[in-house]
Amino acid sequence: LVPLAWACRTAGHDVCVAAQPWGESVVVSSGMPMVTIAESFDMTEELARHRRRGPVETAPGAPPALYQTLVEAQVRFAVEAADEVVSLARDWRPDLVVADPLVLAAPLAATAADAPLVHHLWGPDLLRGSGYGYPGCGMAPDDWPEPLRELYARHDCEPRTENAVTAVDPWLESMQICGIPSRIPLRFVPYNGTNVLPPSVLAPAKKRRVLLTWGSMLVIRDGMEAFPVADIVKTLHEHDVEIVLAVKGTDRGLVPDLPRG
C-alpha cells in the first residue's frame, strides 16, 4: 500500500491508515499517520485456534475447511473493527477508502463516509479465483455468512457481489487471474521500509545472488511442515549461487545448519 499512499500524498491529498497495533511501527515509519483499530483482536491466534480445532469435515461441494477458516476469521475481525472504522469514517470524512479485499469492515467505512471503495490487490486474486468467491469479491450476498450479513444490516451497508468500484493491481497481468472487474494496472514499486543496510549487501555479487525469504503465518497455522526454507537452501546450494536468507530472528533456529555461501 505504501507506494500508492505516497503517490496520493505527493498529489496533495491527506492519507490516514487504520491498522491494528502491530502495524504501528510499519505505518509510522512509512511517513503515514495512523489510527489504531481492533486492538484486542489477534488474527494470528484466531487462525491458530482454528488449526488446534483439528480437521473439519466439509459437505460435498462445500469450500475446503482452510478456506472456511479464513472467512470465519475475517468475519470476526470485521465485527471487532466495525464500530471503530465507522466512527473514524464519519469523523474524518474520507473521499476514498482503499483496502485489501480481505478486510470486510472496509465497505462499512465507505458507506459511513459516502465514499467509493477501492480494493488494492497484492498478488494473484485467489479469493476470486478460488471458485467459491469471497464476500464482496464475486460471492452472491445470499451466500455470505449470516454474522456478516447481520453486521452490514446494523450499519446500513448493502451487501453486494462486488463491494469495490475498482481494483488497483500491481501484480503482473500475465500471472493474474482473469475476470477482475474494472481492474486498474499499477506499476509495481518496491518498498522495504527504512533500515540500515550492511555494505556487503550492496556490493556486486561474486556469484549469481538469490534472495530467499518466507513468511511466518503458515508456520503458525500449519506447523513446521509449512517452513521448507532449509530444503530450499539445500537445493539452491547445488547450483553454486550466493544465497541471501531473510527470516525473522525467531525463525533463524529453524535453519540451524547453513552451508557456506
Side-chain angles (χ1 to χ4, degrees):
L1 290 171
V2 174
L4 180 62
W6 278 355
C8 292
R9 284 282 293 271
T10 56
H13 302 291
D14 290 329
V15 177
C16 182
V17 179
Q20 290 188 271
W22 60 262
E24 181 174 334
S25 61
V26 179
V27 175
V28 174
S29 66
S30 76
M32 298 297 152
M34 171 180 152
V35 172
T36 302
I37 61 168
E39 195 162 349
S40 62
F41 184 79
D42 187 338
M43 179 63 76
T44 300
E45 173 56 30
E46 179 72 12
L47 293 173
R49 182 176 66 82
H50 281 279
R51 182 178 184 274
R52 290 193 297 267
R53 193 172 63 184
V56 177
E57 291 188 13
T58 58
L66 180 59
Y67 176 87
Q68 294 183 30
T69 293
L70 171 68
V71 175
E72 288 175 18
Q74 293 295 341
V75 169
R76 284 203 59 193
F77 177 45
V79 171
E80 292 287 332
D83 289 343
E84 292 166 313
V85 297
V86 166
S87 177
L88 171 62
R90 287 176 176 160
D91 290 342
W92 197 58
R93 308 300 301 177
D95 297 301
L96 182 69
V97 175
V98 180
D100 185 312
L102 280 171
V103 182
L104 295 171
L108 306 179
T111 297
D114 193 23
L117 171 68
V118 168
H119 281 158
H120 192 300
L121 304 180
W122 43 265
D125 192 1
L126 299 180
L127 297 176
R128 189 178 303 279
S130 67
Y132 303 101
Y134 183 81
C137 293
M139 179 185 286
D142 287 346
D143 296 331
W144 287 24
E146 188 61 30
L148 185 61
R149 285 190 289 177
E150 292 174 355
L151 177 67
Y152 276 48
R154 285 200 300 273
H155 291 279
D156 296 320
C157 180
E158 180 186 351
R160 294 184 175 91
T161 303
E162 299 294 340
N163 280 332
V165 296
T166 190
V168 293
D169 184 14
W171 193 244
L172 292 171
E173 185 172 8
S174 60
M175 298 177 68
Q176 185 57 275
I177 71 161
C178 299
I180 300 174
S182 305
R183 174 182 176 269
I184 298 176
L186 191 72
R187 181 169 63 93
F188 175 76
V189 178
Y191 170 76
N192 296 299
T194 53
N195 294 286
V196 177
L197 301 175
S200 59
V201 173
L202 303 179
K206 295 181 175 63
K207 303 178 180 180
R208 295 181 68 188
R209 179 177 289 170
V210 177
L211 170 64
L212 170 60
T213 187
W214 194 260
S216 296
M217 182 62 76
L218 290 177
V219 179
I220 294 169
R221 192 187 67 198
D222 299 333
M224 272 300 299
E225 62 271 18
F227 193 82
V229 170
D231 292 336
I232 298 173
V233 168
K234 181 179 178 181
T235 300
L236 286 172
H237 188 62
E238 297 172 358
H239 293 275
D240 192 32
V241 295
E242 180 182 285
I243 304 169
V244 179
L245 178 59
V247 295
K248 289 176 58 176
T250 52
D251 291 339
R252 176 64 180 84
L254 302 178
V255 280
D257 302 317
L258 292 175
R260 287 176 58 83

